[in-house]
Amino acid sequence: MSTWNSPPQIPPYKEPPFGATAEQQTEGLTAYLKQLANVVSALKNDLEFMLNGNLDVKNIRAKGITADRMDVNELSAISANLGHITAGLIEAVQIFGSYIATSQSYPRCEMSSTGNLFGAYTNANRYLEIYAVNNGAPLIYLADEAGVTRLARNSSVGSLINIGKLILSATGDIEIASTNSGSSVYLEPGTSGYAYVPNWSKLRNNDSKVTLQQELNSKASAFYGSYGTVYVSSAPGGPADMPISFSNGIRTT
């Protein structure tokens, strides 16, 4: 088969040199006719090949087929590695096993079949990743150079784990509650840590609307201005033999 990028050419006939004999002229003409016959034969073969519905790289010129000349139901009808594609709009029903990114550099968002994840990246160390399955559980990662915050769900347990300080802040109320009547809420500081509040006025009984500070003040007020000595037993069931003295509501002995 000939190559359409370089189509068969009919060579020009070269006149025999001046003074050539009749035999030499005949030989030159015979050679030219052989070349002409080869070109015609190649063109004939290419034409038959195409008329029988066969097209390949040998008889399609570069940019010779335009979009308005193609009508296929699926791209699978075109068997090829499509290579680098620049497209305006792609409307698809299903795409499987793909890596899709908004950019080749940072920042970018990406979707990857490896790990079944969605990700948004400022750089390689600052990112948000959503995993569909990680050791059997869905998972969300927030990361920067200082560490990772992880939100996970596994079986009946949900967890929020942070490396470093964790701040929960809102312009409205923050409520930590359980809908199960038998469930509890735990505050568990570290071994040498504490659960801090600004002051006792910030701890309030939700039923009575009274703060812990108000309760402490009421206890102090009950003894305010009291003076004297009372006797109590120093042993269970024993006589009242131990004095306890108060001065202005404050125990002195």
Side-chain angles (χ1 to χ4, degrees), residues 194-223:
Y194 301 89
Y196 285 94
V197 295
N199 51 66
W200 296 132
S201 296
K202 296 300 182 181
L203 281 179
R204 186 180 186 185
N205 186 310
N206 193 47
D207 292 333
S208 65
K209 310 303 180 185
V210 176
T211 67
L212 178 58
Q213 187 64 60
Q214 290 172 321
E215 292 283 9
L216 293 174
N217 291 342
S218 67
K219 297 298 182 183
S221 297
F223 290 94

Side-chain angles (χ1 to χ4, degrees), residues 119-220:
Y121 301 84
T122 301
N123 54 47
N125 298 314
R126 291 177 173 263
Y127 56 84
L128 161 67
E129 290 181 337
I130 302 175
Y131 287 86
V133 177
N134 185 71
N135 294 327
L139 190 67
I140 297 177
Y141 273 115
L142 287 168
D144 61 13
E145 292 81 358
V148 175
T149 300
R150 187 185 75 175
L151 177 63
R153 174 75 182 180
N154 193 356
S155 298
S156 61
V157 179
S159 62
L160 176 61
I161 301 174
N162 185 70
I163 298 177
K165 187 176 183 179
L166 178 64
I167 298 176
L168 296 178
S169 178
T171 57
D173 294 339
I174 297 177
E175 182 175 345
I176 301 176
S178 174
T179 58
N180 190 326
S181 60
S183 297
S184 302
V185 176
Y186 293 89
L187 294 177
E188 296 186 19
T191 304
S192 58
Y194 301 89
Y196 285 94
V197 295
N199 51 66
W200 296 132
S201 296
K202 296 300 182 181
L203 281 179
R204 186 180 186 185
N205 186 310
N206 193 47
D207 292 333
S208 65
K209 310 303 180 185
V210 176
T211 67
L212 178 58
Q213 187 64 60
Q214 290 172 321
E215 292 283 9
L216 293 174
N217 291 342
S218 67
K219 297 298 182 183

Side-chain angles (χ1 to χ4, degrees), residues 88-105:
L89 174 64
I90 298 177
E91 294 184 358
V93 177
Q94 294 178 328
I95 299 177
F96 298 100
S98 297
Y99 170 80
I100 299 174
T102 56
S103 173
Q104 292 184 350
S105 59

Side-chain angles (χ1 to χ4, degrees), residues 217-241:
N217 291 342
S218 67
K219 297 298 182 183
S221 297
F223 290 94
Y224 181 74
S226 298
Y227 297 85
T229 301
V230 295
Y231 288 84
V232 298
S233 175
S234 60
D241 56 355

Side-chain angles (χ1 to χ4, degrees), residues 53-137:
N54 299 305
L55 292 175
D56 60 18
V57 294
K58 294 182 178 182
N59 45 47
I60 299 177
R61 295 178 180 176
K63 300 181 181 180
I65 298 180
T66 56
D68 62 326
R69 301 297 182 183
M70 297 183 64
D71 184 8
V72 295
N73 293 328
E74 296 181 354
L75 277 178
S76 58
I78 304 173
S79 179
N81 183 341
L82 298 181
H84 184 92
I85 301 174
T86 301
L89 174 64
I90 298 177
E91 294 184 358
V93 177
Q94 294 178 328
I95 299 177
F96 298 100
S98 297
Y99 170 80
I100 299 174
T102 56
S103 173
Q104 292 184 350
S105 59
Y106 297 107
R108 69 170 179 252
C109 297
E110 62 183 49
M111 178 176 62
S112 175
S113 59
T114 303
N116 293 316
L117 70 85
F118 290 89
Y121 301 84
T122 301
N123 54 47
N125 298 314
R126 291 177 173 263
Y127 56 84
L128 161 67
E129 290 181 337
I130 302 175
Y131 287 86
V133 177
N134 185 71
N135 294 327

